[in-house]
Amino acid sequence: MRTVSAMIAVLALLAFAHAAAPMPDGGRGGARAAAAAIGNAHFASFPLSAVSATQPRAARARRDRRVDDGPRAHSAAAPARSSGGPAGGAARSRLALPAAFLPSPLAAATDTAPEAVAVELRLGRIAVRTVEAYRVGDEALIPLSQFFDMAGVRATISSAGLVQAMLQPGDVPLVIDVSHDVATFGRRQVTVPARLRLEVNGEVFYSATALGELLDAPMYVDWPELQVVMRDAGPLPLAQELRRRAARAALERERGPLAAGLRIPLERRRWDGFVLDYSILSPSSDPLGGSSYSAQGGADLLGGSLEFGASSLGRAAAGNVRVDASWLGVWRDNPLVKQLRLGDGLTTGPRPRGMRGVSLTNAPFVRPSLLGTVPYAGRLPPGWEVEAYRGGQLIAFDSTDDRGDYAVSLPVLYGENPVQFVAYGPYGETRVFGRTYHVSADLLPVGQFEYAFAGGQCRFYSCAATGNLDLRYGITRRWTVQAGADRYWRDSLPSLFHPYAGVTGSVTNALTVRAEGVAHAFVRSSVAYEPSLDTRLSAEYTRFDTGTISPLLTVPGQRTLSQFSAFYRPVRAKDFLYFEAGAERLTTVGLTTDRAHLGASVQFGAIRVLPYVRLERETPVGGSTSTHGYWGFNASVLPRRSWGSLLGLAFMRGTIETQDLSAVTLASVAIARPLTPLVRLEMGVSWIRGSAGPAYTLSLASYLHSFRAYTTASAQRGTPASASQLVQGSLLYDRSSHAVHLAPGPSLQRAGVAGRVFLDNNGNGRFDEGEEGLAHVRVEVGSNSAMTDSSGLYRLWDVVPFEPVSVTADSLSFDSPLWVPAHSSMVVVAGPNRYTVVDIPVVMGSVLEGSVVRRFGAETQGIAGASLTLTEEATGRQRTMATFTDGTFYVLGVRPGRYVLTVDERVLDLLQVRAEPRRFTIDATGEGPGSIELLLTPRP
């Protein structure tokens, strides 16, 4: 023991003398580098593999240094460079072990004898560990047990030097045998000479370069820095786990309270904006008298949508004109009345009809797509994690408990909800299974009550006046009831009164039932079974009232109607391959009609074929049955550039049908080809049995920025050739530019957002004289986007009115990396039939830089890979970063405001230190606090 202690003391003195000597590159060693050398020498005197084998997994995990975010991030516990910069770091690398025991890392090795070294093993930016390794020439032999432990891979090493591992996902086997030259990973093989593989005290040391080649993730050896680096650790289970953690953190932020940003509510003006939709259809035979037209105008009146217009009924020469006018008001946050319409519109209830009067309801103008949550529970082995995805987006996650149970609450939307569950084991094992939840559009969230009332003069119906009262209530998450009444007042006939009631329920996640009864009209029931997007079954039965006949709700003479439909897709990945079928039976007074069809869809390369069979049968009371069978197919050919310049962009389709497998009843073929990105030409010919001959058509469709135009010409034997011209478009008034713009339309009942993106020099949030408009900036409004012009102006239409929509400037399109939007978020509620002006101020951001250090003797030492959190006090928004290898950090584009910078508690717990938060302010000019130093001090 005394001998060992004496050797350590000699090593320390040698290292101190070497560190105190001037370095060739000007580096500074001193006592700090000497102390580091003593520590490393003491650590190197013990086999690191033995230390790893005896420590508990939790302790080894604490020794691992993982960093989840930030470029060039390293571990908080990693041996850090001096705050003196790169030179100090180089000195530290050279003094890792005394030269008496290790060859100089700066000198190229000339022999092939393995030399023990201590290196930093780095897996991308996510894990770092100091390990014992061997140097053979310029190769590094790393310990496989520690590599697999860092990577999150389950591996076994036999006493004979056989390494076996299973990488996930996919259960890909990896086999490395010290006694064999060839290592395998799945189907990949790598040959490694005997000098680059060792077995020492039960640990297998293997060539890092060969291991990277085997895993298809290159590894590089940096002897001057004493590092072995796998630059891309993406394929490893550890990287997959960290990606899942990041996705879960993002989901939690979305679920949390929204950060305070700029909210622009609906501005209710007396009068603003103007929109005019127009369309004109003119035939060649009589361009004026035979034409038809429509003109519909709109404006924002008192915050509501004023709509008025006129359209011809038939030929313009007949003088029949339909005039419409209405006003719609929407109050999103009013629990009693959310919508009020005055004038022409539709009645409320399940069977709307045209009227001129008043309607009001507390139902939302745009119903939120999210209905609620559905619990889903299951069991897996303990230690597993479960994630639920919809459309590739993470929507829920959970972990199993000690018994393996888990439970997630899935947010479900109206319609189909295909959910894919992915379960991950502790070593990257993966299981995938799917579920589909169908939510009927008739369901309401639990406890929600909605009413609707409408009444007024009948339009286009044989009644004088009509009214409706409709009530709905969500009893539970799965059941909704509905009740109401329709009333019709007629001039010379008795009035009609039709109370109704219905119930809709989701018996299971895939089974939906509905029943409805209307007094003096009909009783209807339906069932739908949709276990997945690939399988759908539905059936419906209606029985009509045989007593009082209501011509406004039923067809006279009908008795019963039975319908059935089915859809099946064998392979989800091949959406073009499916089968569908349907059947219907209608009984009326004196006649029973049966219809059935069976169809399929297949695709061969660029050709898709949809064959089908139809059967129609009529059975009159007391007469003979008439049965007809039809078969045919629709075919389409997608464009293929390999067919040349003429047909390479052409789309072709055709149809043929025969009756009773003998006579052809119809046939058609058409070809369409774009002439320019905005103009398309289509030609076709069709024939129907019994017609005078084939009919030829030629169409030219133009979708321009100002209007849309359709020119159609047709000719058939025995009839004169004809042509028609249809033109559609819109006029939009933009208050921000005081100009009228043309659009292809239609634009009525829509909204727009316009404004300017500018550099806000004084930080007041308003565009002032002399401030610069920013050109070529992409502005995103909801899912649409527009680019600013040379003055910074932008304009975008087709926004849903009365509903909040986000407005952001894409920072990637800024010319300067220091520019940042003045507001973290902007949400606007656009008014109907007009542009809402939203100016977007951009401010000069600050460069935030500094370092995280701790005392080391008389000087300070930078802490590498320390995670930092920057919190904006006004909004609570947080931003994370990590220090570089010398302990410094650097962040661009921090917007003006008051901030708090803190060190991650995990780093503080790991190092058993504390650090005072730093508060600072960045003003409107981008002036910040300068360099910030966060000093870590030992905990008491």
Side-chain angles (χ1 to χ4, degrees):
M1 182 62 66
R2 294 180 179 177
T3 304
V4 174
S5 301
M7 291 178 62
I8 293 177
V10 172
L11 292 177
L13 291 175
L14 290 174
F16 185 88
H18 186 72
M23 303 301 296
D25 56 359
R28 293 176 298 171
R32 182 170 62 254
I38 295 173
N40 283 338
H42 179 72
F43 184 61
S45 63
F46 297 92
L48 297 186
S49 57
V51 174
S52 267
T54 57
Q55 284 184 320
R57 182 179 178 85
R60 286 183 281 138
R62 287 194 297 269
R63 192 187 64 215
D64 291 355
R65 286 151 295 171
R66 300 182 181 181
V67 178
D68 295 353
D69 38 40
R72 297 175 55 196
H74 293 267
S75 166
R81 295 179 180 175
S82 160
S83 58
R92 194 253 332 147
S93 298
R94 292 192 181 96
L95 296 174
L97 286 177
F101 279 73
L102 296 179
S104 172
L106 300 178
T110 57
D111 56 18
T112 59
E115 296 287 344
V117 293
V119 299
E120 278 188 351
L121 179 58
R122 295 184 174 272
L123 304 184
R125 304 188 185 103
I126 57 179
V128 180
R129 182 185 293 183
T130 302
V131 299
E132 180 187 35
Y134 286 90
R135 178 174 182 173
V136 178
D138 287 332
E139 284 283 352
L141 277 60
I142 60 175
L144 292 185
S145 67
Q146 297 194 53
F147 171 82
F148 288 133
D149 184 59
M150 292 173 62
V153 177
R154 178 181 296 171
T156 60
I157 301 178
S158 69
S159 58
L162 176 63
V163 181
Q164 293 179 310
M166 193 72 70
L167 268 70
Q168 306 293 340
D171 292 333
V172 183
L174 182 146
V175 178
I176 296 175
D177 193 342
V178 173
S179 60
H180 290 80
D181 293 341
V182 179
T184 62
F185 175 56
R187 297 182 178 180
R188 187 180 295 115
Q189 294 184 344
V190 172
T191 302
V192 180
R195 63 186 181 87
L196 298 182
R197 55 184 194 270
L198 298 175
E199 190 276 326
V200 180
N201 296 329
E203 176 64 276
V204 173
F205 294 84
Y206 202 73
S207 166
T209 303
L211 182 62
E213 181 181 353
L214 184 64
L215 298 176
D216 197 22
M219 300 185 70
Y220 304 90
V221 181
D222 185 356
W223 285 118
E225 292 289 337
L226 286 177
Q227 291 181 353
V228 178
V229 181
M230 176 182 284
R231 293 182 181 176
D232 182 13
L236 300 179
L238 173 63
Q240 299 167 13
E241 177 187 351
L242 293 180
R243 283 196 294 268
R244 297 198 302 271
R245 289 182 184 176
R248 294 177 180 183
L251 180 61
E252 290 294 342
R253 289 194 297 269
E254 292 178 2
R255 290 176 174 175
L258 294 176
L262 182 63
R263 299 291 188 263
I264 304 177
L266 176 64
E267 187 179 5
R268 298 188 179 273
R269 296 171 171 264
R270 292 185 177 180
W271 178 277
D272 193 9
F274 181 74
V275 173
L276 177 64
D277 288 348
Y278 64 88
S279 66
I280 302 174
L281 176 62
S282 177
S284 60
S285 58
D286 188 2
L288 297 179
S291 64
S292 61
Y293 62 88
S294 174
Q296 302 290 329
D300 185 336
L301 176 64
L302 301 177
S305 176
L306 175 65
E307 303 164 20
F308 50 89
S311 57
S312 62
L313 298 176
R315 301 174 67 250
N320 296 323
V321 180
R322 170 184 170 181
V323 179
D324 297 288
S326 67
W327 180 85
L328 172 65
V330 175
W331 299 267
R332 297 185 65 256
D333 300 324
N334 191 325
L336 299 179
V337 178
K338 293 185 180 295
Q339 298 182 65
L340 170 64
R341 180 179 288 276
L342 304 175
D344 296 312
L346 298 176
T347 63
T348 55
R351 285 161 291 277
R353 53 204 175 273
M355 71 157 195
R356 175 171 291 171
V358 59
S359 65
L360 69 156
T361 178
N362 68 338
F365 177 68
V366 176
R367 188 173 298 280
S369 58
L370 180 64
L371 175 66
T373 59
V374 173
Y376 183 85
R379 174 168 291 185
L380 288 166
W384 281 60
E385 300 174 345
V386 180
E387 295 179 348
Y389 293 86
R390 180 177 53 229
Q393 181 180 5
L394 179 67
I395 58 174
F397 62 89
D398 194 18
S399 301
T400 58
D401 56 20
D402 295 338
R403 297 179 301 176
D405 295 328
Y406 68 89
V408 294
S409 295
L410 302 176
V412 294
L413 311 176
Y414 285 102
E416 302 293 342
N417 289 265
V419 179
Q420 183 183 57
F421 293 89
V422 183
Y424 300 96
Y427 291 95
E429 302 95 331
T430 304
R431 297 182 187 177
V432 180
F433 52 99
R435 296 290 186 272
T436 297
Y437 302 87
H438 175 75
V439 179
S440 173
D442 296 322
L443 291 177
L444 291 181
V446 57
Q448 181 168 323
F449 170 76
E450 290 184 0
Y451 77 90
F453 167 79
Q457 179 185 359
C458 290
R459 302 199 70 190
F460 319 113
Y461 282 85
S462 57
C463 59
T466 183
N468 170 262
L469 175 64
D470 187 77
L471 308 173
R472 293 203 297 166
Y473 181 71
I475 301 177
T476 67
R477 181 177 51 83
R478 293 183 178 272
W479 293 92
T480 296
V481 294
Q482 183 178 19
D486 289 312
R487 179 84 180 194
Y488 303 92
W489 290 269
R490 299 187 289 182
D491 294 332
S492 58
L493 297 175
S495 299
L496 299 176
F497 180 63
H498 296 286
Y500 59 85
V503 60
T504 302
S506 293
V507 180
T508 67
N509 293 327
L511 183 63
T512 302
V513 297
R514 176 171 173 77
E516 181 187 19
V518 181
H520 312 301
F522 60 83
V523 175
R524 177 178 296 141
S525 61
S526 64
V527 58
Y529 178 68
E530 303 183 31
S532 71
L533 292 178
D534 305 320
T535 304
R536 294 196 298 270
L537 300 172
S538 64
E540 182 176 283
Y541 176 77
T542 305
R543 186 174 184 87
F544 300 94
D545 192 347
T546 59
T548 303
I549 299 177
S550 177
L552 299 181
L553 296 183
T554 62
V555 177
Q558 289 184 338
R559 291 296 179 261
T560 62
L561 175 63
S562 303
Q563 296 174 308
F564 171 80
S565 65
F567 174 87
Y568 177 65
R569 179 167 43 211
V571 183
R572 176 172 298 182
K574 298 181 179 180
D575 58 352
F576 57 84
L577 178 62
Y578 61 83
F579 303 91
E580 54 92 18
E584 176 184 287
R585 165 168 284 194
L586 173 64
T587 61
T588 60
V589 177
L591 181 67
T592 299
T593 303
D594 296 305
R595 299 184 181 91
H597 72 274
L598 175 65
S601 172
V602 294
Q603 184 167 332
F604 308 95
I607 302 176
R608 175 174 287 193
V609 180
L610 291 85
Y612 65 88
V613 177
R614 289 192 297 118
L615 179 67
E616 296 183 359
R617 184 175 62 185
E618 294 183 348
T619 307
V621 176
S624 60
T625 300
S626 174
T627 304
H628 296 285
Y630 302 86
W631 72 271
F633 66 86
N634 300 313
S636 60
V637 181
L638 303 178
R640 300 191 68 172
R641 293 190 176 273
S642 60
W643 290 353
S645 58
L646 181 61
L647 297 178
L649 299 177
F651 174 81
M652 293 173 281
R653 64 181 184 273
T655 301
I656 187 171
E657 182 179 281
T658 67
Q659 179 179 343
D660 300 330
L661 303 178
S662 56
V664 177
T665 57
L666 64 89
S668 66
V669 62
I671 180 171
R673 186 189 188 281
L675 301 181
T676 70
L678 301 177
V679 179
R680 186 183 78 255
L681 177 66
E682 182 172 347
M683 298 178 292
V685 57
S686 61
W687 175 84
I688 300 177
R689 189 174 65 179
S691 61
Y696 303 91
T697 59
L698 177 66
S699 301
L700 185 66
S702 303
Y703 192 94
L704 306 179
H705 296 292
S706 301
F707 64 91
R708 290 185 291 183
Y710 302 90
T711 304
T712 304
S714 61
Q716 189 175 17
R717 188 176 63 182
T719 60
S722 63
S724 64
Q725 179 68 52
L726 174 64
V727 178
Q728 293 179 324
S730 299
L731 301 178
L732 307 174
Y733 172 70
D734 183 3
R735 178 168 55 90
S736 64
S737 60
H738 303 287
V740 176
H741 304 282
L742 300 178
S747 302
L748 195 65
Q749 299 180 353
R750 307 297 287 176
V753 177
R756 185 191 305 268
V757 181
F758 66 97
L759 190 60
D760 190 9
N761 295 325
N762 55 15
N764 64 356
R766 299 187 302 271
F767 179 72
D768 300 318
E769 185 177 355
E771 291 183 331
E772 175 189 2
L774 304 182
H776 309 299
V777 173
R778 181 179 299 278
V779 179
E780 298 177 350
V781 181
S783 59
N784 301 323
S785 64
M787 298 294 292
T788 60
D789 60 14
S790 58
S791 301
L793 297 175
Y794 73 93
R795 184 179 63 255
L796 191 144
W797 192 257
D798 203 25
V799 176
V800 178
F802 306 114
E803 290 296 310
V805 63
S806 63
V807 179
T808 59
D810 185 5
S811 59
L812 295 179
S813 60
F814 292 167
D815 290 339
S816 171
L818 292 178
W819 292 348
V820 293
H823 304 287
S824 58
S825 63
M826 299 180 69
V827 176
V828 59
V829 179
N833 304 319
R834 68 177 176 92
Y835 283 101
T836 299
V837 179
V838 180
D839 289 338
I840 304 177
V842 175
V843 296
M844 183 68 69
S846 176
V847 178
L848 183 63
E849 58 184 341
S851 59
V852 178
V853 299
R854 62 179 174 181
R855 296 289 181 186
F856 199 85
E859 301 185 25
T860 58
Q861 177 190 42
I863 303 299
S867 297
L868 307 176
T869 302
L870 180 65
T871 304
E872 189 175 3
E873 291 186 345
T875 63
R877 293 178 63 91
Q878 293 185 337
R879 185 173 181 177
T880 59
M881 67 200 80
T883 58
F884 301 122
T885 54
D886 58 354
T888 61
F889 59 88
Y890 183 85
V891 182
L892 282 174
V894 181
R895 67 168 51 88
R898 293 183 58 83
Y899 291 90
V900 179
L901 182 64
T902 57
V903 182
D904 195 318
E905 287 295 332
R906 293 174 298 177
V907 177
L908 301 179
D909 293 340
L910 179 66
L911 301 178
Q912 290 297 300
V913 295
R914 62 182 179 180
E916 292 296 329
R918 292 295 303 273
R919 287 178 166 79
F920 58 90
T921 301
I922 298 175
D923 61 24
T925 64
E927 289 295 328
S931 182
I932 297 177
E933 183 179 82
L934 291 170
L935 179 63
L936 307 183
T937 58
R939 292 180 177 175

